[in-house]
Amino acid sequence: MNVGEWAAVIGAAGSVLGGGGLFVSRATVRAAQATARANEAAAAIQAAPQVKAQEFAVLQATVQRVDEENGQLRGSLSRVEAVVRAFAWSTDRWLRQMHREGIEPEPAHPLVDEYNRTGV
């Protein structure tokens, strides 16, 4: 039997024995309810470190995944920048060859001019 059931039994016995049993029964039920609430609160407090540990594990896994993705993106960006530099170097060489042969090329796109000026 749990505490609430015991309280009911004691309260029933008290009511059979005399009028004060009802008061004892109500007090016992209230005490049992307070004890149950206290036990629930204690269980929640004891579970809190486990919950925090689980949340930290999720956070750690997320940070690790983002770091890996960031590394991959940096590698891809580095490769694209290298290709752009190589292409700019090649087109500049072709442009100089055309000028030596007396061929006037069409004007470059404004973004190409900006890249040639700033390197970005």
Side-chain angles (χ1 to χ4, degrees), residues 11 27 32 41 55 60 116:
E55 290 173 354
Q60 257 183 329
N116 286 336

Side-chain angles (χ1 to χ4, degrees), residues 1-110:
M1 280 194 202
N2 65 27
V3 177
E5 291 171 341
W6 277 109
V9 169
I10 291 171
S15 65
V16 169
L17 297 174
L22 182 60
F23 176 74
V24 171
S25 174
R26 285 185 183 166
T28 306
V29 168
R30 287 187 188 129
Q33 290 170 345
T35 302
R37 285 192 301 272
N39 288 340
E40 288 173 3
I45 290 170
Q46 289 176 352
Q50 293 173 345
V51 170
K52 291 289 185 189
Q54 289 172 346
E55 290 173 354
F56 183 69
V58 168
L59 179 62
Q60 257 183 329
T62 302
V63 168
Q64 182 179 0
R65 181 184 53 82
V66 168
D67 283 346
E68 290 172 3
E69 289 175 359
N70 191 21
Q72 292 171 351
L73 290 173
R74 285 177 187 246
S76 296
L77 181 61
S78 178
R79 179 70 180 145
V80 167
E81 288 173 344
V83 168
V84 168
R85 280 191 300 273
F87 184 75
W89 180 79
S90 297
T91 54
D92 184 57
R93 190 183 57 179
W94 295 332
L95 181 65
R96 283 184 276 125
Q97 286 175 346
M98 290 175 74
H99 281 296
R100 275 195 309 264
E101 296 298 321
I103 302 170
E104 189 60 36
E106 298 219 6
H109 190 277

